[in-house]
Amino acid sequence: RLATVTVNKQQYESRGASIHVLSLHMQDFVKILGLKHRREVAGKSAIFSGEHFVLEETDWYLLNLFRLWWHYGISFLRLQMWVEEVMEKFMRIYKYQAHGYAFSSLEELLRSLGGDAFVNMTQRSVAESLLEVGVTQRFVDDVIAAVLRSSYGQSVLVPAFAGAMSLAGAQGSTWAVEGGNKLVCSGLLKLTKANVIPARVTGVSLHSSEGRPLYQVHYEGSEGQGSAFYDMVVVTTPLHPSRSNFTFENFEPPIPDFPGAFQPSVTSVVHGYLNSSYFGFPDPKLFPFASILTTDTPDLFFNAMDNICPVNISAAFRRKQPQEAAVWRVLSQQPLDKQQLKTLFRSYYSVQVTEWQTYPRYDAAKSLPPIVLHENLFYLSGVEWVASSMEMIAVAAKNVALLAYNRWHQDLDKIDQKDLMHKVKTEL
């Protein structure tokens, strides 16, 4: 029997709300669930410095390229080459997993994909890595900072691997699920016919049976306290002091909390009239942008904002005109006060605010958490300290499944193998 200890429903839905795209490499996986690609709605983006736009997107692809070259030289080409090199190596994981290979640590997984260079990318900043390949400081300050503020809510000091994943998602090769990306999770539960117990796990205690470990999962539900025994347990909630709300018992040595903290984030969904004058457009009819990113400027009180669309896009749907009331999502690190809302909006009908701890504070810890906590006790959420995205979690989940299977059947030739590219080629 296998148990998965996850976050509670409210935390799950809040975290899911911050992830709005899926990688193209997950399309086949999503189609199995009977889900569809949500229709795209065109909209231009711009980067705001607090005083003016440092970069504006147009409707013409060649003009966009010319503007990038005019402002930043060939930095955008060097960025693209760097990201593509990282992603090309990362994609090896799908071949490895298709052949049943698994890894017992995050370091081994990264090393199998890109050698020690990938491991080192979790310890050095994305700014340092990009400057090393010839990207200019101005491009880092304007463009890279804006992307990372909108995705992770952090600066260019995030580790290079996490930065590469974020930048890959910003290049347009992403898409959303019709009806909302949360349907991926609910669809998987339905497909696997999992027995979902809606309860809060309070602890996991270790027992033994016929020489094998047996894990007792304790929980509290609407009907009171309960527990059940399992051969394997997968923990998919962060094991950090600020997030962990359950204990491990009878383990020797004890299973510790892991160092590190999470980045606080606030999402404000505002239905109102944008104050285009704040962005340098006195006439709201002339405001052309649906998405606004920001540079790392001290006086800026928000990270990004965008004109959001429904999770279901009908054929007749159109974006609101800039002078009309629309629904905007504003990302910030602190709740917006009335004066800040007044700065961004001429007037508004409603404001819905969600606060939660979204992503790891990548400057808060320098070591990666383990995958194996005990013989058949596995930890999934540690992968967020490599990079946090739906695709990374999916890759980590399959790795844990393969690892648990291979360990249970003592198929050690499928765990932590070296030179896997050669092995995979010879198996074809």
Side-chain angles (χ1 to χ4, degrees), residues 214-241:
L214 196 62
Y215 304 99
Q216 185 177 12
V217 178
H218 306 269
Y219 55 86
E220 292 179 351
S222 58
E223 299 180 357
Q225 296 183 347
S227 68
F229 287 90
Y230 298 91
D231 298 301
M232 298 180 184
V233 174
V234 179
V235 180
T236 65
T237 186
L239 294 178
H240 296 80

Side-chain angles (χ1 to χ4, degrees), residues 44-49 53 146 150 274 278-279 287 289-294 302-307 328-329 331 344:
K44 295 188 285 293
S45 301
I47 299 176
F48 186 60
S49 70
F53 288 108
S150 67
L274 184 71
Y278 173 65
F279 299 102
F287 189 81
F289 307 115
S291 178
I292 304 168
L293 287 69
T294 62
F302 69 101
N303 293 337
M305 61 185 298
D306 58 327
N307 183 337
W328 290 82
R329 174 178 54 188
L331 304 179
L344 295 177

Side-chain angles (χ1 to χ4, degrees), residues 181-194:
N181 287 345
K182 66 180 182 180
L183 295 180
V184 175
C185 300
S186 58
L188 283 171
L189 288 175
K190 183 178 180 180
L191 182 67
T192 58
K193 300 179 181 179

